[in-house]
Amino acid sequence: MSEPTPVTQSLAHTGLAPSHPVVDGDKQSRMLVNNPAMRVVQFTFDAGAGLSEHDAPGAVAVVLNSGELDFTVDGTVHRMTGGDVLYLAPGVPHAVTAVEASRMTLVITDVG
């Protein structure tokens, strides 16, 4: 887990694509924000890589920055392409499989 990001501190992450490339045959993640209010994580997936079914305790917003993913939500597959957004209610099971090399940003909020 990365260092906590103070809720009272603004920050910017720039130049992420070159510093966080898609790795052949793998998925990678980078924590960008980590505090009690939210976590922001950027994922890269090579084609065929993904995340097995799991859930999150908070509300989740997913932004597919580039590529194409099959995002399964509670058993229903949603084909996402660059620019698409998906919302998950807390506790909903979901999984991800990359159809092609992809970059995804995930925001998890504390619904306390």
Side-chain angles (χ1 to χ4, degrees):
M1 184 80 50
S2 67
E3 292 294 317
T5 308
V7 174
T8 57
Q9 177 183 332
S10 298
L11 61 90
H13 289 281
T14 60
L16 290 173
S19 67
H20 188 218
V22 173
V23 175
D24 286 344
D26 201 5
K27 77 158 174 58
Q28 301 287 313
S29 65
R30 176 181 281 178
M31 183 74 67
L32 303 174
V33 175
N34 182 20
N35 63 43
M38 73 171 55
R39 286 184 289 152
V40 178
V41 184
Q42 188 170 86
F43 288 87
T44 58
F45 301 93
D46 196 12
L51 297 168
S52 60
E53 187 174 75
H54 61 285
D55 60 48
V60 175
V62 175
V63 178
L64 184 56
N65 306 103
S66 62
E68 190 170 0
L69 298 175
D70 281 341
F71 207 104
T72 304
V73 179
D74 208 14
T76 301
V77 177
H78 302 275
R79 176 67 52 98
M80 296 180 72
T81 59
D84 288 351
V85 175
L86 184 133
Y87 169 76
L88 297 168
V92 172
H94 55 280
V96 179
T97 303
V99 177
E100 64 185 39
S102 301
R103 180 178 304 276
M104 174 184 90
T105 302
L106 181 89
V107 179
I108 305 170
T109 61
D110 179 13
V111 293

